[in-house]
Amino acid sequence: MPDPTSSNTDEELNTAKQVKLENVGALSREQLTPEAAAEPEGHDVPGHDHAGHDHPAGKKVVDLAGKAADEHAGHDHASGDDHDHGQVGANPYLWPGMSLALLLGGLALDYYDVAWFTSYVRLAWYGVAFLLVGWKVLKAAVLSIPSGNVFNEFLLMSIATLGAFAIGEYPEGVAVMLFYTVGELFQDAAVNRAKRSIRALLEIQATEVTVLRGGQSLVLDPKQVQLGDTIEVKPGEKVALDGTLVKGPASFNTAALTGESAPQTKQMGEVVLAGMINQESLAQVLVTATYQDTKLAKILAMVQDAVGRKAKTQQFITKFAKVYTPIVVALAVLLVLVPYFVVDDYVFRTWLYRALVFLVISCPCALVISIPLGYFGGIGAASKAGILLKGSNFLDVLREIDTVVMDKTGTLTQGVFAVQQVQPAPGVDPAQLLRLVGALETKSTHPIAKAVVLHVGAAATGVPVENVEEISGHGLRGRVDGRDVLAGNTKLLTKFIVAYPAEVDQVFDSIVVAAIDGKYAGYLTVADAPKADAEQTVRELRADGITKIVMLSGDKDSITQRVAKELGIDEAHGGLLPEDKARYVQQYLDAGRKLAFVGDGVNDAPVVALADVGIAMGGLGSDATIETADVVIQTDHPSKIATARRIARATHSVVWQNIWLAFIVKAVVLALGAGGLATMWEAVFADVGVALLAILNAVRIQRMKF
């Protein structure tokens, strides 16, 4: 619905950055209820997006991320008011229910032609029924006039219903306003349903936390906890802040953050995030991020921003309604005046009635309500699936892409090195090789060394290691359990004149070559394994109409090509610097491709920003990349890219079904109304009925399985 208090709707929505918890999921400002529109500027109103107002200096309110947002004069937003869209205070169904009872009673009295139900009594009866549901609309129409935003839905409804009263069609005037109000209540229910999945995310922040300080347990607000504090998380409690587990292991329910139902077991030293729920044993977490810097707080900020960023279809409808409404009013006026000059038996009352019917039919609420609701439903469905979109506009872009470019490490692969193969030299015991190499590698902090130690496990524990020398760019040398051991790359063996088989140089993966007592003893390959759903991702994207799938990696080209071949990727390039990745992406963009880039590392941030839609892996991804991205996949599962595409297509389909439904029905009934073949009752269906059908269609997105 047009907002009678603002002529800068687009600018306000585009600058919406701080939105309160109770307003996340509220409709955009064009869709205010009459009571909201009727409130003066600067007042906190139901369903109202608070962006775009000037607020008094010095006033503030803490938003979901703990940051200073805004506060309207004289109204503290932190007070916990419920800003649900719709009527405030009393039961919202009370006045419509009373109005309906009076309308039905009046129709019965008219039908039985009761003697006393005439003249002023009849007018008063229907007048009360009308005012019970219509006074807020009338108020909104009047208050919209000074701002210059005259041609809105409230004015159309007011003219049509008051006109019906002026010509004595009292029941029809009441019915139009009553059904309009009922439509608003249905809209409220639909909006609240669309909010639920996002509200579930917003409400997972802990409100208190147990902090261990000076041997005491203190229960504090999470905002008061400092970096380096240790917090205690009991079974069943939510983790309040990001940190590392210092007392464990512990099992955590991460469904609220990732959408995955399977619990995750964390070992000591592993990262634990705010919003996770401790399931079994008492856990202690060393805090590494303040309240406003947790990943959860940043996720909530992303969800808030998504409310204010409009898709192209929404922007079109907003602009369309601003042009469409005055044209309709002008046509209604002409429908009254022109027949006077061309019709022989012109009756003013007849043509006024037709014009009023025309006005009711023409209300664009089916479009202005259901389209943003459809997009919001798409955002909600995506968040339920662990996909965060920073704006409904990206639903349109995701649907349009034909090229997906992906990073390798951490995106398509697990981002964790693991031993893939152990190949001992002839006559060398594999267990002995692993024991000696593993013990030596415990003295290194290199990621490959850590992978070897993890693979060897307890076999390397307690083995005496001495005289260790780390040779930069080569590997390690030392005495292990009384034997001289070399472990590193082939350059290390060459340096110490140890011969090795030629086929070792043909191994593509990262390799740890070993020598024991001056003789070649074998090698271990270490690689980053593809994610379980990586091959499925490529297969689903191709089936979904993506014509080009590319992998760009900083890893050496031989490894990149092997992974690409294994996953069935069309094109792959390895050994790239960040600027090389950007160059490739720019080439695809220059060729006219609509492109999504998926990455997780800091080096991916520039390319994520360059793409038509940038997608970040939110679990392991760097803060810089997540901040830059348009879409964040919380589960780190690349297959969610295809899921996001399916949600985008479903949203687009529903939105355009609503547009065509509204246009076709309104066009037919407008023609009938202009010809005198449609009454106010048909007008009610063309307006409120179509709006309700469109709303019901829009909420289907919440029920769809993706």
Side-chain angles (χ1 to χ4, degrees):
M1 303 171 198
D3 172 16
T5 64
S6 173
S7 58
N8 298 310
T9 303
D10 291 339
E11 291 77 8
E12 290 175 0
L13 286 168
N14 289 334
T15 56
K17 293 298 177 188
Q18 301 290 344
V19 184
K20 292 178 61 228
L21 181 147
E22 57 266 34
N23 285 337
V24 171
L27 294 182
S28 56
R29 295 201 52 181
E30 301 85 29
Q31 302 141 53
L32 296 181
T33 52
E35 62 266 31
E39 293 296 338
E41 195 75 51
H43 185 79
D44 198 6
V45 294
H48 186 95
D49 188 334
H50 298 279
H53 295 294
D54 293 323
H55 304 290
K59 296 280 186 177
K60 70 176 184 178
V61 61
V62 177
D63 73 356
L64 293 172
K67 298 176 183 176
D70 58 35
E71 177 186 359
H72 291 290
H75 188 96
D76 183 0
H77 288 211
S79 62
D81 302 67
D82 190 0
H83 289 214
D84 282 343
H85 184 267
Q87 300 188 44
V88 208
N91 183 342
Y93 298 95
L94 177 61
W95 304 125
M98 293 173 63
S99 178
L100 176 61
L102 288 172
L103 175 61
L104 294 176
L107 290 172
L109 292 169
D110 280 336
Y111 180 78
Y112 290 107
D113 198 18
V114 177
W116 58 265
F117 192 66
T118 57
S119 187
Y120 292 111
V121 174
R122 185 170 183 268
L123 173 60
W125 183 286
Y126 284 116
V128 171
F130 174 78
L131 290 175
L132 284 172
V133 289
W135 73 270
K136 290 181 180 178
V137 175
L138 299 176
K139 182 181 176 183
V142 172
L143 290 178
S144 70
I145 295 172
S147 69
N149 188 15
V150 178
F151 295 106
N152 53 58
E153 179 179 347
F154 312 118
L155 182 69
L156 292 181
M157 298 299 296
S158 299
I159 293 173
T161 53
L162 291 176
F165 266 74
I167 60 175
E169 300 290 347
Y170 307 147
E172 296 186 9
V174 174
V176 169
M177 195 62 77
L178 174 61
F179 284 120
Y180 169 78
T181 304
V182 171
E184 287 291 299
L185 294 176
F186 270 87
Q187 175 191 332
D188 298 341
V191 170
N192 289 332
R193 184 178 187 85
K195 286 180 185 179
R196 284 175 194 161
S197 59
I198 290 181
R199 276 187 177 271
L201 174 67
L202 299 178
E203 291 167 359
I204 63 176
Q205 283 188 308
T207 55
E208 59 181 35
V209 59
T210 302
V211 183
L212 305 179
R213 285 182 186 168
Q216 293 184 320
S217 295
L218 307 174
V219 178
L220 301 175
D221 187 305
K223 301 182 187 70
Q224 298 174 312
V225 180
Q226 301 170 0
L227 293 177
D229 277 342
T230 298
I231 62 174
E232 191 172 72
V233 188
K234 300 178 181 67
E237 284 187 343
K238 299 171 186 174
V239 179
L241 300 155
D242 294 355
T244 54
L245 193 65
V246 293
K247 181 178 180 180
S251 179
F252 294 91
N253 181 331
T254 66
L257 286 174
T258 65
E260 297 297 309
S261 56
Q264 292 185 12
T265 299
K266 300 288 185 180
Q267 305 294 331
M268 288 180 59
E270 290 192 317
V271 173
V272 176
L273 299 177
M276 293 181 175
I277 300 174
N278 187 14
Q279 290 198 305
E280 297 170 357
S281 56
L282 183 71
Q284 292 180 1
V285 177
L286 181 68
V287 175
T288 58
T290 57
Y291 183 79
Q292 63 265 28
D293 291 328
T294 62
K295 277 192 179 289
L296 176 59
K298 292 175 180 177
I299 287 169
L300 301 185
M302 292 174 200
V303 176
Q304 294 168 35
D305 284 349
V307 176
R309 299 179 70 168
K310 301 172 72 178
K312 286 184 289 185
T313 309
Q314 285 180 266
Q315 292 169 344
F316 163 74
I317 292 300
T318 301
K319 294 172 183 175
F320 169 81
K322 289 179 179 178
V323 175
Y324 165 86
T325 307
I327 290 175
V328 163
V329 172
L331 290 175
V333 172
L334 292 174
L335 191 57
V336 177
L337 300 179
V338 171
Y340 176 78
F341 301 100
V342 296
V343 176
D344 293 333
D345 56 346
Y346 176 81
V347 178
F348 174 77
R349 185 182 184 282
T350 300
W351 289 98
L352 176 61
Y353 181 80
R354 293 181 184 182
L356 296 175
V357 170
F358 188 88
L359 283 177
V360 173
I361 298 167
S362 66
C363 287
C365 54
L367 297 173
V368 183
I369 292 171
S370 65
I371 290 170
L373 183 60
Y375 278 104
F376 193 78
I379 292 174
S383 69
K384 193 185 298 184
I387 305 162
L388 293 178
L389 294 109
K390 294 187 182 178
S392 56
N393 50 318
F394 298 115
L395 284 167
D396 282 344
V397 181
L398 276 169
R399 185 184 55 81
E400 295 167 356
I401 61 173
D402 56 25
T403 303
V404 175
V405 180
M406 292 179 274
D407 176 46
K408 179 179 76 69
T409 307
T411 300
L412 286 170
T413 62
Q414 296 172 10
V416 179
F417 283 108
V419 172
Q420 303 294 319
Q421 181 185 10
V422 178
Q423 187 64 51
V428 176
D429 178 26
Q432 180 72 349
L433 173 66
L434 287 172
R435 176 174 174 271
L436 296 176
V437 171
L440 182 60
E441 294 285 21
T442 60
K443 305 303 178 182
S444 173
T445 59
H446 194 280
I448 290 179
K450 290 181 178 179
V452 173
V453 173
L454 184 65
H455 181 78
V456 174
T461 305
V463 179
V465 181
E466 54 190 0
N467 301 330
V468 177
E469 178 185 1
E470 184 164 358
I471 303 168
S472 180
H474 292 69
L476 296 173
R477 175 192 186 190
R479 193 159 181 83
V480 182
D481 200 18
R483 306 183 71 175
D484 290 325
V485 179
L486 298 173
N489 54 32
T490 54
K491 291 187 290 184
L492 179 67
L493 268 62
T494 302
K495 179 178 177 67
F496 288 95
I497 319 175
V498 176
Y500 60 87
E503 60 264 22
V504 174
D505 288 325
Q506 307 304 314
V507 176
F508 289 146
D509 288 332
S510 299
I511 188 170
V512 177
V513 188
I516 300 174
D517 294 331
K519 293 183 179 179
Y520 169 72
Y523 66 85
L524 293 74
T525 61
V526 180
D528 182 12
K531 290 181 178 177
D533 62 337
E535 187 175 355
Q536 171 195 344
T537 300
V538 175
R539 188 170 61 250
E540 288 186 358
L541 287 174
R542 188 167 284 117
D544 200 39
I546 300 298
T547 57
K548 192 176 188 68
I549 302 174
V550 182
M551 184 169 70
L552 303 178
S553 176
D555 206 347
K556 57 185 182 181
D557 192 58
S558 58
I559 296 175
T560 302
Q561 297 300 335
R562 179 178 60 79
V563 173
K565 184 177 180 181
E566 182 180 341
L567 299 180
I569 289 173
D570 301 326
E571 183 181 325
H573 304 278
L576 304 178
L577 296 172
E579 54 266 32
D580 298 324
K581 291 184 179 181
R583 178 169 48 83
Y584 275 109
V585 168
Q586 190 60 59
Q587 286 176 3
Y588 301 133
L589 292 172
D590 291 343
R593 290 193 166 272
K594 202 76 172 176
L595 181 144
F597 182 87
V598 192
D600 69 312
V602 176
N603 61 336
D604 293 325
V607 201
V608 165
L610 183 62
D612 291 305
V613 57
I615 303 174
M617 294 292 166
L620 297 175
S622 74
D623 288 346
T625 304
I626 293 170
E627 200 70 32
T628 308
D630 307 309
V631 179
V632 179
I633 296 175
Q634 294 174 256
T635 61
D636 281 340
H637 292 163
S639 58
K640 295 288 188 180
I641 304 166
T643 304
R645 286 257 301 170
R646 288 194 289 272
I647 293 171
R649 281 205 316 278
T651 303
H652 179 265
S653 175
V654 165
V655 164
W656 278 97
Q657 285 168 15
N658 286 345
I659 290 173
W660 284 113
L661 171 69
F663 274 134
I664 291 171
V665 173
K666 283 183 180 290
V668 171
V669 184
L670 278 172
L672 294 174
L677 299 176
T679 67
M680 280 283 187
W681 300 104
E682 284 83 4
V684 166
F685 171 75
D687 177 34
V688 180
V690 171
L692 292 179
L693 290 174
I695 289 168
L696 293 173
N697 191 37
V699 300
R700 283 194 310 118
I701 301 173
Q702 296 291 308
R703 294 178 173 272
M704 293 179 182
K705 302 295 182 184
F706 298 101

